[in-house]
Amino acid sequence: MAVVSAFSEPPSERRGDHAIAQINITPLIDVMLVLLIIFMVATPILSTRLDLRLPQPGPDTGQKPPPRLTLEVLAGDSYRLAGQALRRDELQPALDAQAARVPTAILEIAASGDADYQGFARALSAARNSGIEHVALAP
């Protein structure tokens, strides 16, 4: 009787029973063919055109944009409204007159680099008290 160890070759009569060390690609090909068919069916569905109705530009109404006023806050409680220099006590009456003259005007407030915060806060408060509804901060 022959002794068979784990590292020796199996006897000649059992050579046909060992496992094949190759990949069986038949199931892989089947899966790939199914995926190919799914993509072939789905692609025409995804590439259909959409019926979009985009908005078209309408006729020009002729409305002009509202006028813009520029208020510059300068150092030392001084201001410049539309190029005219103002002191602190002249700011509120000047803004009231501008609001009465052009109620839809947009007031752009710009502060110089050396202006203090209190002057800027006074300008915002005066604009609100004058009735100007549209205030923008200029860079």
Side-chain angles (χ1 to χ4, degrees):
M1 188 155 121
V3 177
V4 179
S5 71
F7 298 106
S8 66
E9 204 173 300
S12 61
E13 64 263 11
R14 297 188 62 203
R15 267 196 203 267
D17 292 342
H18 69 288
I20 301 173
Q22 293 179 352
I23 298 175
N24 188 0
I25 62 168
T26 305
L28 180 64
I29 292 174
D30 290 343
V31 169
M32 295 305 291
L33 286 175
V34 168
L35 286 175
L36 179 66
I37 291 171
I38 289 173
F39 284 125
M40 288 174 60
V41 170
T43 301
I45 295 171
L46 295 176
S47 65
T48 59
R49 299 183 82 181
L50 297 175
D51 183 26
L52 296 179
R53 294 186 185 139
L54 298 175
Q56 300 298 320
D60 187 20
T61 59
Q63 289 182 340
K64 295 179 184 176
R68 293 185 174 266
L69 295 172
T70 304
L71 175 63
E72 296 177 58
V73 181
L74 305 172
D77 277 342
S78 61
Y79 302 93
R80 188 177 302 136
L81 178 63
Q84 179 184 3
L86 300 171
R87 292 187 316 268
R88 180 173 132 186
D89 57 341
E90 298 172 336
L91 179 62
Q92 187 66 49
L95 285 175
D96 290 339
Q98 289 290 340
R101 188 173 63 87
V102 186
T104 61
I106 298 173
L107 179 66
E108 289 183 354
I109 300 177
S112 68
D114 54 350
D116 59 344
Y117 178 75
Q118 187 63 35
F120 186 76
R122 272 194 206 99
L124 285 175
S125 176
R128 182 182 61 204
N129 292 337
S130 69
I132 294 176
E133 295 180 13
H134 305 287
V135 178
L137 301 177

